[in-house]
Amino acid sequence: MPKQISKPIPEYQLDEAQKRIDRYWRATQGFILALESKHGFSAKQLLTLLPTGDTSMERFREYQAKALIFNTRFQFSPSVIVMCNNTDDVMRAYQEAIEFNLPIRVRSGGHDHEGECSGTDVVLLDLSGLKDFSIEKKGDDYIAHIGSGYRFYQLVPKLAESGYKNIPPLTIPHGTCATVGLAGYIQGGGWGPWTRAKGMCCESLVGATVILQDGSRVEVSETENEDLLWALRGGGALSYGIVTEFRVKAFELPEEIHRFEINWNNEAVGSTDLATWQLLSQWENAINDTGKDTENLVGTNLKINAVPDVSECEKSSGYEKTLKHPSTMYGYWQGSEKALIQFAKQYFPAAKVQVTGTDTKQNYSEALMSDWSRNSVANLKKLGLKGTLAASLDGEPFTPDFDAPAPHKITSKLVRESGLTEQGKLALLRSLTSPLLFAQNAPLGLFSYVTLGAISGKFYANDTCDDAKKRVAFPYTTAQYTIQYQTWWNTELKYDGSYDSKRLGQANPVYRYVNRALDWIEVSRDTTIEGAYGAFISFKDASIPTKTYFQENYEKLIEIKEEYSGFTVKLDCGKEVYVNFNRLRTRKTII
């Protein structure tokens, strides 16, 4: 007689699941108690909404504020947020978390576009309090020791402080968004307004303090744990350990620096009417010329707004070359304004350059970073749209860098050293002219566009893939530029005499169009653009395979992660064995 197989009883399965949840919360409570009693963490450092904890409104608001991340499309509820003040706090909190076998996330700036810096029912180690800062002179170099809690609006003015211990005003190859944290930025590669002249920021990383997966602390430099330093130079954040301090080579600021814009096909002052095909070609010519005429163009991007495709007629061959998209070139120019104007006349003969900011080495600040990072209501008038809400906003909006966190979706590609083919350019322009987008989008605060970020320039002019692979894990140093597809929407706009969308909540009319804008991102991601390849981890899209981000460096990065991810475990028999774990992981970490 065949043996009877007992069937699982759903009620028992549910009971077991509830027991696992109970064990998790008991472990979390034990973790909090251990930090308080063994390590002296204060109640203000341990934010939680445990059922048995303090759930007062004041406590709730503090927790909610710290739980927020930049992409508000994601809303997570960590079981506990640990506000760390120094490396020892991070090490002790991490060691206790692995002792209680709890899942871990780490956040510095909170700008991970897929929200992987946080999570629900996790221990969130918040590094924003790590603000140690010093500068040392090593030979002819200046090395900045920077705590992982710094964001660029805090860091850039500090580096530029004149007369700091007789050190001249300095900076590093910083980013374009002032509220981004250095930690995720530099580990992702670090593209910004100095890239053509100084390379990606990861090129300037010379050392770090790292908490490894077993909870130990190591120092990393060009002579100590060199393979780990290589991985931190653009191999993605979190995978290899928790970095609590970066040592970054800084450079002396030039005497004069200008931020400028050139506008096409929009309502900005001095905007020029020109087919997107032509202006894209002009911009490509400028960034790919690495001679004397362009060496002072230290960095640039080109923002091209996507527009609705409203034509119902059959399109003739080559129609893409006649399309006109509202576009803006943003640039950093080192040197005189006269030389900048001469450069613009040479490469953009029909356009008018607008100098939007001038600084000297004595007063360089985060103000020069505005407008580069994203479209928002702050620069809505530049989009070339009639009847927008910009003039009726209640009060002055922040400039784009300082906009409040907002829901968004991003994806990316990069352009090969050989450039886009003609068919590739046509495909790019087609992707920016879509029936999934509507004239109503921007007036409601929904923006869709690409940002093309120049990599090609003086710094990488003579680089090869083999040379770069020896220095950095970032695999795109020979690329011409990044292609970053973006769509953002606002949910808290105030309309004069009409309505307040914040109060409307889920009744906000912007939600009539958001899904189709997100579909546009997915279609763009899947569009074949000849001459483009890969994806940039700083513009994270979780649906892109991890290997795509890291290209030929992927397998080596796996080896390094595994090398630094193990524990020595003592068995009951007294024998010690090395076991490999993967406690520091999210969807887009290396394994």
Side-chain angles (χ1 to χ4, degrees), residues 205-210 212 218-232 243 245 247 564:
L205 182 65
V206 296
T209 300
V210 184
L212 298 179
V218 298
E219 298 301 324
V220 176
S221 71
E222 292 174 324
T223 59
E224 190 176 13
N225 299 303
E226 307 98 300
D227 53 348
L228 187 52
L229 177 64
W230 179 86
L232 296 177
V243 183
E245 182 188 271
R247 294 182 277 285
Y564 287 93

Side-chain angles (χ1 to χ4, degrees), residues 24 31 78-80 82 93 97 102-106 121-125:
Y24 169 79
F31 166 76
S79 54
V80 57
V82 184
L102 294 169
I104 297 151
R105 295 289 185 275
V106 180
D121 293 344
V122 300
V123 170
L124 174 57
L125 304 183

